[in-house]
Amino acid sequence: MAVISKHVVTARPVELPSDPAENMETLRGDCARMAPHWVAPAAVATAPVSPALIHGISVPPASARLIDGMSEYGD
């Protein structure tokens, strides 16, 4: 059984210094300093897949009805 000192239990918590207020300018500055460290991956061109190559996919009837009952994007 661990014994906890009375001093530890009754001591007041230490207050940490608060961070300076963040605003849009500090965020932009942080981003500008980080930008050179990030490398964008080369764009990968993907070719569309022929529907004939897609096989082995099954959708449960309840899911198909749910999707069928949803409106089209932009309705």
Side-chain angles (χ1 to χ4, degrees):
M1 182 169 130
V3 177
I4 301 174
S5 168
K6 182 179 177 182
H7 172 72
V8 173
V9 175
T10 60
R12 297 183 80 184
V14 177
E15 291 186 26
L16 300 174
S18 61
D19 292 332
E22 292 187 10
N23 58 29
M24 186 58 79
E25 290 304 314
T26 58
L27 178 61
R28 289 180 68 202
D30 291 344
C31 292
R33 284 189 296 280
M34 288 189 298
H37 302 286
W38 292 81
V39 178
V44 179
T46 58
V49 176
S50 167
L53 296 176
I54 300 174
H55 61 282
I57 298 173
S58 61
V59 179
S63 296
R65 284 192 302 275
L66 176 69
I67 297 300
D68 188 40
M70 297 174 84
S71 66
E72 295 291 325
Y73 179 77
D75 281 353

